[in-house]
Amino acid sequence: MGTIRTIVEEQSGQTVLRRQIPYVRPQSWRRLLIGDRLSNADAPHQTIPKVVGLAVFASDALSSTAYATQEILAILALAGAGALPFALPIAVAIVALLAIVTISYEQTIHAYPGGGGAYIVARDNLGELAAQTAGAALLTDYTLTVAVSISSGVAQIVSAFPALLNWRVEIAIGMVLLVTLINLRGVKESGSAFAIPTYFFIVMMFLTVGLAFFRYLTGSLGQVVNPPPLEMIHEVRAMSLFLLLHAFSSGTTALTGVEAISNGTTAFREPRSRNAGITLIWMSVILGTLFLGITFLSGQIGAVPSEQETVISQLVRTVFQGQGPLYLAVIAATTVILIMAANTSYADFPRLSALVAGDGFLPRQLTYRGSRLVFSRGILSLAALASVLIIVFDASVTRLIPLYAIGVFLSFTLSQAGMARRWWRIGHLAPEQEVKDAGSTLHYEPGWQLKMVINGFGAFCTAIVMLVFALTKFQDGAWVVLILVPLIVLGFYTIHRHYKRLARRLSLEGFGPPPLIRRHRVIMPIGGVHRGTLNALRYARTLTHDVTAVYVSTDAATSDRVRLKWEHWGEGARLVVLESPYRLLMEPLLDFVDEVCTYRQPNELITIVVPQFVPAHWWQNLLHTQAALTLRMALMRRKGIVITNVPYQIDEEEPTEEHA
Amino acid sequence: MGTIRTIVEEQSGQTVLRRQIPYVRPQSWRRLLIGDRLSNADAPHQTIPKVVGLAVFASDALSSTAYATQEILAILALAGAGALPFALPIAVAIVALLAIVTISYEQTIHAYPGGGGAYIVARDNLGELAAQTAGAALLTDYTLTVAVSISSGVAQIVSAFPALLNWRVEIAIGMVLLVTLINLRGVKESGSAFAIPTYFFIVMMFLTVGLAFFRYLTGSLGQVVNPPPLEMIHEVRAMSLFLLLHAFSSGTTALTGVEAISNGTTAFREPRSRNAGITLIWMSVILGTLFLGITFLSGQIGAVPSEQETVISQLVRTVFQGQGPLYLAVIAATTVILIMAANTSYADFPRLSALVAGDGFLPRQLTYRGSRLVFSRGILSLAALASVLIIVFDASVTRLIPLYAIGVFLSFTLSQAGMARRWWRIGHLAPEQEVKDAGSTLHYEPGWQLKMVINGFGAFCTAIVMLVFALTKFQDGAWVVLILVPLIVLGFYTIHRHYKRLARRLSLEGFGPPPLIRRHRVIMPIGGVHRGTLNALRYARTLTHDVTAVYVSTDAATSDRVRLKWEHWGEGARLVVLESPYRLLMEPLLDFVDEVCTYRQPNELITIVVPQFVPAHWWQNLLHTQAALTLRMALMRRKGIVITNVPYQIDEEEPTEEHA
């Protein structure tokens, strides 16, 4: 025990004691794994500059360049190799969409300097249902981000080391565990450590793309040597608009992660909205450039979508003419950025689930911060869910992709529609009028019309994409998400109803002075007459003089012995013997309690006093029936009954006459 | 609720209530599976004639003819086909041993008309350690009997239907479940139902052996057609004395089950010792005849030990010249008797473990009879252990055999040595002297010398066999049993020490009038101020006026709110706020309790009153931290502290002002 500081406060005539217990319990294995406990006072308050901000928030978005091109090609390949050149115009369309979304989110960042994730924006402007829908969609997608990013990271490793092909799932699960552990340790270490790999990735990718363009322009780029065989998970189809839209849908995964900066505006240095906005634009420019470049170059070298070797790997080894150190460096950088993208979800998922839980739509436990100040339960839930996805989908990016990004686009749509609604409300305020919103204060702003149109257009585009997505990928797996999200929302509301009802039941509003307890009756089930029983009897008699001991008898000889002993030791308390010819113990007792309750007076309190052995070692519990526990479970639901356990510790020392 | 009959008795000035609650709870699925509850009054008291007794007790012993010959051949085959004819002299030696054991047990039956299993005989005559060793050996062997018999039964089925070879383990586990279910239903149905299959087996086997001899004598027996390939689990060795002894050891499994009748003497009609003794001799004669016949004939037809087809199957299809209906009938009879042999262990294991538990060497729960009057826990333990064995040893009889029968021979030795000791004591009593033993009364008996020699010789022979067994089969798996049995005995004594210490601690001998409780202090941990808390507070105040509410604060804003609310609703009770900067909830509370205990007065009682929600549905528990439960676990071990849960049910109705 540390030193307990006691602070005595006088508040309106009542003495209030405030005690500070500096408690740190050393737990060797936990400390080794996740580090020492952190105090509330250790919560990080530092903000980060733009350069670090880009590194922290961009990994998710940038990492999608590692698979977006490949997924476009994988769909186009269904119409034969001749369809592959369509990838470039599709990529252009996606970059245009990226621009729209970026401009739209730039506005959100300025409107919500305190952090404007889709959940908050929807809640403030579109109401609860929209917010919960956004929440469900985002939580689903964060989970998928982990599964997709880790799977893609493993695919890069497998490209470089084909011998590992059959260990994909195991490697992926190992990575999930590693990222989980890092996140349980908390964010303190992770902040600036992010900068190095992100910039390494950016530099390596620009080096690859730049060199490739140089070779292309000088005509020395050439084709992929030994491309992997073209595998197809679907049947061959004719080229069609449907197929084009399908490929487009798959490619839009490039946009996932764009919303990250608007969620985390508070992390930036002041003027934070401006800094965050600039970072967002930078990120989108880098993302767009790389994505277009990779798509264009993949077409030029004749890269082939495959589970055995990623398109990135094919491109890089063509550019660097072999699998030398530079090849390995780019693949390593790509793998690391993919793992860091998964890591982003480890920040987002627990934070959002704590937000949803704080509003009462998820278990409250998700709002508690663990010993390292992180939402440990959220982190563990995410790890479990993502692992299940990886195992079920065999760590295959192509099989996971159809489920991915619907949630993101749903949240994009809700977030931007919410912003449009916000501008509409702002536009209809009288000058000087102030409206307090849940999160912010609204003032009239000139030029709201343009802003509303921009956000509205963003919402419109993303809604269309979402529809295209749902239609073209429905069969491949999108239906799972289309069923899952409404079910999650339903779950949210079920939980919410419980908490609301609980609050009503517990509310002290209109709670009058409670009636006095006029009679107190104790029922004490006993299994024999011994020190433990007498100890409990003595306790029972301090509560009331109306004590009834109850013994359930399964054979007459033993019950006669109990009766004789009770005569001598029972201090005159009533003994009821319940005969149980079917050798049941609990049921006759419950029946007896029910019977007693039937004849209960108003304002009569019934306490069940249960003598309970506590053996010295846990395994010794196996040597005793856990009657006290079973009884507690059974009586818990009966109203107006209080259950008291009087423990009697059996230990190594000789018994003493000590009290209780 | 049924009609409760209340009987009022006056005993030495104290009113004693005796209540009879005719309680039968309908549990549809349980009733379907294991039948209606049986009352104590339903316990079977009928006895059985010799003809039924033979059927009930002989299945274990007779069934070993299904595999004993094969296991001898499996060892001899190591020295090549030329060694197989040694099987017959080995079988003769085993039958001689059978005769010795039978005569020895015949004496036990007469000395212990109340049932003289090895455990009881050893306990009465050799003391506790010998008894517990016998108990451990027998429990191990009963488990092995189930595994070996079921595996052998499956091997017969596989012989007839080779397509099932890869499903051996699954079929075996299915059979274990079936036998378990039958035994959970209880013995009432099973008694006479045993007679039919046992006699069917005896008739079919004598038919087979008889016809085979006829063919042998007329020279038309011939050789096995298409014998299975000779598989060997060991390397080929030269013929040696070791190998002969090894084969002998494997063959002695034929003797397992011989002790069954001496365990169950009480089941026989009067004069029960005589009837039981005659039945034992009959059983041994049948067993010896069949075993010798099968071994001789197997040699004549050139049967080969194999996992694919049993020797019995080879013999039967050679005798009946094909796999016609008669072949199938014999295989079916063999399978059924093997399952019934397993069933015998289902009676013996639970009964013996109840006996050992009654003496305090196994958990007491094993002595409770379930709703069908059987020792359900023992039955379930046996099923679990046997299933593990079957899975680990892949349902292979040959791999299980090295573990089997050491336990039986150890118990034979102990039992017969105990009997020899008993005759020695009887011989040294003065005429007319009576000695009360644990189980029986000893009188001087003339002719005790011969009886002592017979039992002593039995003990000597079985001890030798056991040693041979342990040496020759040590490497194959016998070492497992040689380590396991002492470990089990150690476990028995650990359990026994616990129960003995417990009895001493609970004993009322020298228990003076307990000191008065002079001060009663209540500590009430609260998580907020609401109806549930106030409900608990009201209860706490009926116990004492010294109530301290404790609130663990993880952030200042909330704790201020709690303090303000408490001022209004706390009825003047003390509130202590514990600040917990590391967001721990339980540890500061425990520290506080420790601190309070430090300043405790003599004879001061501390009660922890824990307000506890009880949600309407069990799943809603997931939405709340189970703080009450954790607290109970943590405080259970502290002395002089009583824990009271004041449940507060949250349900669908509107809250009422009802008390408690």
Side-chain angles (χ1 to χ4, degrees):
Chain A
M1 215 191 301
T3 322
I4 300 184
R5 272 209 302 150
T6 305
I7 303 159
V8 183
E9 289 178 12
E10 286 282 335
Q11 283 192 344
S12 39
Q14 199 180 348
T15 308
V16 172
L17 296 175
R18 188 196 278 268
R19 277 150 187 273
Q20 292 178 322
I21 304 184
Y23 191 86
V24 183
R25 173 179 288 192
Q27 294 157 295
S28 50
W29 66 267
R30 276 193 66 167
R31 235 165 77 182
L32 196 71
L33 275 180
I34 64 167
D36 241 336
R37 291 192 187 288
L38 292 179
S39 158
N40 286 339
D42 296 334
H45 292 296
Q46 81 271 37
T47 53
I48 51 176
K50 285 195 290 293
V51 182
V52 177
L54 182 66
V56 169
F57 292 106
S59 56
D60 185 9
L62 294 184
S63 70
S64 45
T65 56
Y67 49 81
T69 302
Q70 173 158 354
E71 297 307 323
I72 296 175
L73 292 175
I75 302 299
L76 290 176
L78 301 180
L84 296 183
F86 281 102
L88 191 59
I90 288 173
V92 171
I94 291 170
V95 171
L97 184 65
L98 171 65
I100 295 166
V101 171
T102 303
I103 296 169
S104 192
Y105 263 107
E106 219 273 337
Q107 293 194 158
T108 308
I109 288 172
H110 285 273
Y112 280 88
Y119 181 76
I120 289 172
V121 174
R123 192 179 62 184
D124 280 6
N125 301 293
L126 301 175
E128 214 167 55
L129 182 61
Q132 298 314 323
T133 308
L138 281 171
L139 291 179
T140 311
D141 242 58
Y142 289 148
T143 313
L144 280 159
T145 299
V146 176
V148 169
S149 301
I150 297 271
S151 297
S152 179
V154 173
Q156 310 297 338
I157 295 176
V158 169
S159 300
F161 307 100
L164 297 174
L165 187 65
N166 290 326
W167 298 92
R168 291 197 303 184
V169 173
E170 287 81 357
I171 299 171
I173 298 289
M175 284 187 178
V176 169
L177 291 181
L178 183 73
V179 176
T180 305
L181 209 62
I182 290 171
N183 280 279
L184 286 175
R185 284 194 77 94
V187 285
K188 265 193 129 182
E189 285 87 345
S190 48
S192 58
F194 272 25
I196 301 159
T198 307
Y199 282 106
F200 182 59
F201 173 75
I202 294 174
V203 168
M204 291 313 288
M205 282 318 255
F206 272 104
L207 186 68
T208 308
V209 171
L211 186 60
F213 265 101
F214 175 76
R215 282 189 193 280
Y216 169 69
L217 294 173
T218 59
S220 65
L221 183 57
Q223 293 278 310
V224 186
V225 183
N226 291 330
L230 185 66
E231 300 153 6
M232 278 180 291
I233 52 164
H234 305 263
E235 300 117 59
V236 176
R237 298 187 213 148
M239 191 64 212
S240 66
L241 180 63
F242 183 85
L243 203 71
L244 274 182
L245 289 174
H246 193 171
F248 170 79
S249 306
S250 287
T252 51
T253 50
L255 266 68
T256 56
V258 167
E259 78 290 357
I261 293 180
S262 70
N263 287 339
T265 317
T266 44
F268 284 85
R269 290 225 173 117
E270 290 290 356
R272 56 189 183 193
S273 288
R274 194 170 160 272
N275 283 331
I278 291 168
T279 311
L280 172 66
I281 290 165
W282 265 106
M283 181 180 82
S284 293
V285 169
I286 296 171
L287 170 60
T289 313
L290 283 181
F291 177 51
L292 274 182
I294 290 168
T295 308
F296 172 75
L297 292 164
S298 302
Q300 292 304 320
I301 62 163
V304 165
S306 159
E307 290 274 315
Q308 283 170 35
E309 189 183 4
T310 61
V311 167
I312 291 285
S313 169
Q314 295 172 47
L315 174 63
V316 179
R317 72 177 162 90
T318 307
V319 173
F320 294 116
Q321 292 170 325
Q323 299 189 316
L326 272 173
Y327 165 83
L328 285 178
V330 182
I331 294 299
T334 312
T335 308
V336 171
I337 198 112
L338 281 163
I339 294 173
M340 279 170 47
N343 190 67
T344 313
S345 285
Y346 272 86
D348 291 337
F349 183 100
R351 191 171 46 201
L352 179 58
S353 55
L355 214 57
V356 175
D359 289 346
F361 288 89
L362 269 176
R364 282 274 153 81
Q365 292 96 306
L366 290 166
T367 64
Y368 301 151
R369 286 174 188 269
S371 62
R372 293 286 290 181
L373 279 167
V374 294
F375 298 110
S376 335
R377 288 181 177 86
I379 290 173
L380 293 173
S381 310
L382 176 62
L385 293 169
S387 300
V388 168
L389 279 179
I390 287 172
I391 291 168
V392 169
F393 289 93
D394 221 9
S396 159
V397 177
T398 306
R399 289 174 59 196
L400 280 162
I401 281 290
L403 280 71
Y404 192 37
I406 303 190
V408 167
F409 276 85
L410 179 53
S411 75
F412 281 174
T413 306
L414 288 167
S415 152
Q416 289 167 118
M419 284 303 295
R421 173 95 210 286
R422 191 170 183 273
W423 296 123
W424 173 262
R425 282 162 69 205
I426 284 175
H428 288 74
L429 291 173
E432 310 301 312
Q433 192 186 351
E434 269 192 10
V435 170
K436 279 262 178 212
D437 209 348
S440 54
T441 316
L442 303 187
H443 302 275
Y444 179 80
E445 276 181 44
W448 60 271
Q449 294 90 342
L450 178 63
K451 288 175 173 167
M452 188 179 77
V453 168
I454 289 173
N455 279 133
F457 184 64
F460 176 75
C461 292
T462 50
I464 294 287
V465 171
M466 192 181 60
L467 278 179
V468 168
F469 218 110
L471 286 173
T472 56
K473 300 182 143 195
F474 187 82
Q475 261 193 308
D476 297 343
W479 63 270
V480 175
V481 177
L482 293 179
I483 290 170
L484 200 62
V485 169
L487 281 183
I488 296 174
V489 172
L490 193 71
F492 282 177
Y493 273 90
T494 310
I495 290 170
H496 193 54
R497 208 164 37 242
H498 169 74
Y499 281 126
K500 273 209 311 226
R501 182 178 297 136
L502 180 72
R504 261 204 317 280
R505 293 287 175 282
L506 294 180
S507 162
L508 292 172
E509 222 167 286
F511 188 60
L516 286 175
I517 294 170
R518 291 191 190 280
R519 210 183 146 192
H520 194 169
R521 179 168 186 172
V522 166
I523 296 173
M524 189 171 90
I526 60 171
V529 184
H530 49 65
R531 289 190 186 213
T533 323
L534 297 188
N535 186 44
L537 175 64
R538 193 156 49 97
Y539 180 81
R541 293 178 72 88
T542 66
L543 305 185
T544 173
H545 288 278
D546 188 355
V547 176
T548 307
V550 183
Y551 177 75
V552 178
S553 155
T554 54
D555 78 307
T558 321
S559 75
D560 283 343
R561 251 198 334 270
V562 166
R563 196 177 285 114
L564 276 171
K565 268 189 162 178
W566 190 258
E567 249 174 75
H568 186 244
W569 292 101
E571 299 182 23
R574 199 185 298 117
L575 173 69
V576 172
V577 175
L578 300 174
E579 295 195 352
S580 176
Y582 295 92
R583 299 163 308 285
L584 298 166
L585 294 174
M586 220 39 77
E587 288 82 350
L589 212 52
L590 295 179
D591 273 3
F592 179 75
V593 170
D594 279 346
E595 198 205 351
V596 167
C597 287
T598 317
Y599 299 112
R600 177 148 73 164
Q601 304 294 312
N603 297 340
E604 177 176 351
L605 183 72
I606 294 176
T607 298
I608 315 283
V609 170
V610 189
Q612 185 177 14
F613 300 143
V614 182
H617 304 289
W618 68 265
W619 61 264
Q620 293 169 340
N621 277 314
L622 300 175
L623 304 178
H624 303 281
T625 46
Q626 298 302 307
L629 195 69
T630 321
L631 198 62
R632 161 176 310 284
M633 291 301 188
L635 287 172
M636 197 78 105
R637 311 213 149 272
R638 320 223 166 182
K639 291 209 162 184
I641 290 179
V642 172
I643 309 143
T644 296
N645 282 65
V646 183
Y648 189 75
Q649 288 85 358
I650 309 297
D651 48 21
E652 313 296 304
E653 310 145 35
E654 281 303 307
T656 59
E657 303 306 299
E658 216 189 309
H659 58 90
Chain B
M1 213 190 304
T3 320
I4 300 184
R5 271 208 303 149
T6 305
I7 303 160
V8 184
E9 291 178 10
E10 285 285 333
Q11 284 191 344
S12 40
Q14 200 179 347
T15 307
V16 171
L17 295 177
R18 186 197 279 268
R19 278 152 186 271
Q20 291 179 323
I21 304 185
Y23 190 87
V24 182
R25 174 178 288 191
Q27 292 159 296
S28 47
W29 67 267
R30 275 192 68 167
R31 233 164 77 182
L32 196 70
L33 276 179
I34 64 166
D36 240 337
R37 291 192 186 288
L38 292 179
S39 159
N40 287 339
D42 296 333
H45 293 295
Q46 81 272 36
T47 52
I48 51 177
K50 287 195 289 292
V51 181
V52 177
L54 182 66
V56 169
F57 293 106
S59 56
D60 186 9
L62 294 185
S63 71
S64 44
T65 55
Y67 48 82
T69 302
Q70 172 158 355
E71 297 307 322
I72 296 175
L73 292 175
I75 302 300
L76 290 176
L78 301 179
L84 296 183
F86 282 101
L88 190 60
I90 290 174
V92 171
I94 291 170
V95 170
L97 185 64
L98 171 65
I100 295 166
V101 171
T102 303
I103 295 168
S104 192
Y105 264 106
E106 219 270 338
Q107 293 194 159
T108 309
I109 287 173
H110 284 273
Y112 281 88
Y119 182 77
I120 288 173
V121 175
R123 192 180 63 184
D124 279 7
N125 301 295
L126 301 175
E128 214 169 54
L129 182 61
Q132 298 313 322
T133 308
L138 281 172
L139 290 178
T140 312
D141 243 58
Y142 289 149
T143 313
L144 280 159
T145 299
V146 176
V148 168
S149 301
I150 296 271
S151 297
S152 178
V154 173
Q156 309 299 337
I157 295 177
V158 168
S159 300
F161 307 99
L164 297 173
L165 187 65
N166 290 327
W167 298 92
R168 292 197 303 183
V169 174
E170 288 81 358
I171 298 172
I173 298 291
M175 283 187 180
V176 169
L177 291 181
L178 183 73
V179 177
T180 305
L181 209 60
I182 290 170
N183 279 280
L184 286 175
R185 285 193 75 97
V187 284
K188 263 192 130 184
E189 286 87 345
S190 47
S192 58
F194 272 25
I196 300 158
T198 307
Y199 282 106
F200 182 58
F201 173 76
I202 293 175
V203 168
M204 291 313 288
M205 282 319 254
F206 272 104
L207 185 68
T208 309
V209 171
L211 186 58
F213 265 101
F214 176 76
R215 281 187 194 281
Y216 169 69
L217 293 174
T218 59
S220 64
L221 182 59
Q223 293 277 309
V224 185
V225 184
N226 292 328
L230 186 66
E231 300 153 6
M232 277 179 294
I233 53 163
H234 305 263
E235 299 118 60
V236 176
R237 299 187 213 149
M239 193 62 213
S240 66
L241 181 64
F242 184 85
L243 203 71
L244 272 183
L245 290 174
H246 193 171
F248 171 79
S249 306
S250 286
T252 52
T253 50
L255 267 68
T256 56
V258 167
E259 79 289 359
I261 292 179
S262 71
N263 287 338
T265 317
T266 44
F268 284 84
R269 291 226 172 115
E270 291 290 356
R272 57 189 183 192
S273 288
R274 193 168 164 274
N275 282 330
I278 290 169
T279 311
L280 170 66
I281 290 165
W282 265 106
M283 182 180 81
S284 293
V285 169
I286 296 171
L287 170 60
T289 312
L290 283 181
F291 177 51
L292 273 182
I294 291 169
T295 309
F296 172 75
L297 292 164
S298 302
Q300 293 305 318
I301 62 164
V304 163
S306 160
E307 291 275 316
Q308 283 168 38
E309 189 183 3
T310 60
V311 166
I312 291 286
S313 169
Q314 295 172 45
L315 174 63
V316 178
R317 73 178 161 89
T318 307
V319 173
F320 294 117
Q321 291 171 322
Q323 299 189 316
L326 271 172
Y327 166 83
L328 286 177
V330 181
I331 294 299
T334 312
T335 308
V336 170
I337 199 114
L338 282 162
I339 295 174
M340 278 169 50
N343 190 67
T344 313
S345 285
Y346 272 85
D348 291 337
F349 183 101
R351 190 172 47 199
L352 179 58
S353 56
L355 213 58
V356 176
D359 288 347
F361 288 89
L362 268 177
R364 282 276 152 79
Q365 292 95 306
L366 289 166
T367 63
Y368 301 151
R369 287 174 188 268
S371 61
R372 294 286 290 183
L373 278 167
V374 295
F375 299 111
S376 334
R377 289 180 175 88
I379 290 173
L380 293 172
S381 311
L382 176 62
L385 294 169
S387 299
V388 169
L389 279 179
I390 287 172
I391 292 169
V392 169
F393 289 91
D394 222 9
S396 159
V397 176
T398 306
R399 290 175 57 197
L400 280 162
I401 281 290
L403 280 71
Y404 193 36
I406 302 189
V408 167
F409 276 85
L410 179 52
S411 75
F412 280 173
T413 306
L414 288 167
S415 151
Q416 290 165 119
M419 285 303 294
R421 174 93 208 288
R422 190 169 183 274
W423 297 123
W424 174 261
R425 284 162 67 206
I426 284 175
H428 287 74
L429 290 174
E432 310 301 312
Q433 191 184 351
E434 271 192 9
V435 171
K436 277 263 178 213
D437 210 348
S440 54
T441 315
L442 303 188
H443 302 274
Y444 178 80
E445 276 181 43
W448 60 271
Q449 293 92 340
L450 177 65
K451 288 174 173 169
M452 187 179 78
V453 168
I454 289 173
N455 280 134
F457 184 65
F460 176 76
C461 291
T462 51
I464 295 288
V465 170
M466 192 180 61
L467 278 177
V468 168
F469 217 110
L471 287 172
T472 54
K473 299 183 145 196
F474 187 81
Q475 260 193 308
D476 298 342
W479 62 271
V480 175
V481 177
L482 293 178
I483 290 171
L484 199 62
V485 169
L487 282 183
I488 296 174
V489 172
L490 195 71
F492 282 176
Y493 274 91
T494 312
I495 290 170
H496 193 55
R497 210 165 34 244
H498 169 73
Y499 280 126
K500 273 209 311 228
R501 183 177 297 135
L502 179 73
R504 263 206 314 279
R505 293 286 175 282
L506 294 180
S507 161
L508 292 174
E509 221 167 286
F511 188 59
L516 285 175
I517 294 169
R518 292 190 189 282
R519 209 182 147 196
H520 193 170
R521 180 168 186 173
V522 167
I523 296 173
M524 187 172 92
I526 59 171
V529 183
H530 49 66
R531 290 189 185 212
T533 323
L534 297 188
N535 186 44
L537 175 63
R538 192 155 50 96
Y539 181 80
R541 293 178 72 87
T542 65
L543 305 185
T544 173
H545 288 279
D546 188 354
V547 177
T548 307
V550 184
Y551 177 76
V552 178
S553 154
T554 54
D555 79 306
T558 321
S559 75
D560 283 343
R561 247 194 342 266
V562 166
R563 197 178 284 116
L564 276 172
K565 267 189 161 178
W566 190 259
E567 248 174 75
H568 187 243
W569 292 101
E571 299 182 22
R574 200 184 297 116
L575 173 70
V576 172
V577 174
L578 300 174
E579 294 194 354
S580 175
Y582 295 92
R583 298 163 308 286
L584 298 166
L585 294 174
M586 218 42 74
E587 289 83 348
L589 211 52
L590 295 179
D591 273 4
F592 179 76
V593 171
D594 279 345
E595 199 205 351
V596 167
C597 287
T598 317
Y599 297 113
R600 176 150 70 166
Q601 305 293 314
N603 298 340
E604 177 177 349
L605 182 71
I606 294 176
T607 297
I608 316 281
V609 171
V610 189
Q612 185 178 15
F613 300 144
V614 182
H617 305 287
W618 68 265
W619 62 264
Q620 293 168 342
N621 276 316
L622 300 175
L623 304 177
H624 303 282
T625 45
Q626 298 301 311
L629 194 69
T630 322
L631 198 62
R632 160 176 311 284
M633 290 301 188
L635 287 172
M636 197 79 104
R637 311 213 149 274
R638 320 226 164 180
K639 291 208 164 187
I641 291 179
V642 172
I643 309 143
T644 295
N645 281 65
V646 183
Y648 189 74
Q649 289 87 358
I650 310 296
D651 47 21
E652 313 296 307
E653 310 146 36
E654 280 304 305
T656 57
E657 302 309 297
E658 216 191 310
H659 59 89

